[in-house]
Amino acid sequence: KYNSQSNFVHNMSEKPTAAWYLAPIFLGIIGSAIMWYVLKDEDHPDSPKMVKKGWVIGIVLTIISVAWIPLMLIPMAFV
């Protein structure tokens, strides 16, 4: 389709960039929620898969980081 405002209008939205995975990697569950909020209304068929992977990454990394704190405190108990 041709539009006077832009040269070309796509029939299907472009695939969301893989850079969205950086949000859950660096921000954990909060990053997953941000990723979900931005990508939930995308029309591309891969968007729901990306959001599910983002939730898994965010939850796993949050659990690892929360579990890491007590493991680091164990040696201090014997000092």
Side-chain angles (χ1 to χ4, degrees):
K1 295 180 181 179
Y2 189 76
N3 188 349
S4 61
Q5 303 240 336
S6 64
N7 292 338
F8 188 75
V9 177
H10 298 283
N11 287 334
M12 188 165 76
S13 67
E14 295 180 15
K15 181 177 180 178
T17 179
W20 277 110
Y21 289 120
L22 295 175
I25 288 172
F26 289 114
L27 301 173
I29 291 177
I30 295 170
S32 298
I34 292 169
M35 182 181 180
W36 167 79
Y37 183 76
V38 172
L39 298 180
K40 68 178 176 156
D41 296 328
E42 292 288 326
D43 293 332
H44 197 276
D46 287 343
S47 294
K49 293 180 206 171
M50 288 182 71
V51 170
K52 286 180 187 175
K53 289 178 187 176
W55 277 114
V56 170
I57 292 168
I59 290 169
V60 167
L61 291 178
T62 300
I63 290 172
I64 289 172
S65 65
V66 169
W68 188 260
I69 295 169
L71 291 175
M72 295 306 292
L73 295 176
I74 289 173
M76 295 175 100
F78 298 108
V79 174

